[in-house]
């Protein structure tokens, strides 16, 4: 009987870690797509932010994760004029990638 409780506790502890890892995985996937479209790695940042902070994050939402509770926001670095992220660079854990 006690062994069952240990599994439940382990799952509760591991769940937030797994959710964060999935956001990092989605972020890495998007980053690679942007780089593959010719944007240098130093030319942009991707930030994972809560949904309610996405509008104030100062960039373009290019993906989501954690069951759509987090957004991934793209920002262009440097003195260049604002350029949108390539159309096929976005992704999310909640929809199949193409």
């Amino acid at each position: 009987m006690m062994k069952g409780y240990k599994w439940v506790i382990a799952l509760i502890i591991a769940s937030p870690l797994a959710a964060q890892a999935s956001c990092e995985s989605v972020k890495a996937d998007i980053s690679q797509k942007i780089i593959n479209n010719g944007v240098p790695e130093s030319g942009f940042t991707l930030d994972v932010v809560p949904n309610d902070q996405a509008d104030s994050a100062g960039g373009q939402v290019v993906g989501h994760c954690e069951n759509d509770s987090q957004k991934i926001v793209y920002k262009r670095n440097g003195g260049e004029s604002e350029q949108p992220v390539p159309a096929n660079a976005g992704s999310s854990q909640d929809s199949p990638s193409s």
Side-chain angles (χ1 to χ4, degrees):
M1 183 88 164
M2 196 62 156
K3 290 181 182 179
Y5 289 113
K6 289 180 183 178
W7 282 105
V8 171
I9 291 171
L11 286 174
I12 291 171
I13 291 171
S15 292
L17 297 175
Q20 184 60 36
S22 63
C23 275
E24 289 303 314
S25 174
V26 172
K27 180 179 165 184
D29 209 29
I30 294 170
S31 179
Q32 190 59 53
K33 288 179 182 181
I34 294 170
I35 292 167
N36 290 346
N37 278 295
V39 179
E41 190 172 355
S42 62
F44 68 96
T45 59
L46 293 174
D47 298 314
V48 178
V49 299
N51 276 351
D52 61 350
Q53 295 177 17
D55 290 338
S56 62
Q60 179 180 354
V61 174
V62 293
H64 58 93
C65 54
E66 289 189 28
N67 294 321
D68 205 23
S69 66
Q70 302 280 339
K71 299 290 185 197
I72 300 172
V73 178
Y74 167 89
K75 295 179 198 170
R76 186 87 179 188
N77 294 338
E80 302 174 24
S81 62
E82 184 70 23
Q83 294 181 8
V85 67
N88 62 346
S91 182
S92 78
Q93 74 179 29
D94 302 321
S95 63
S97 61
S98 46

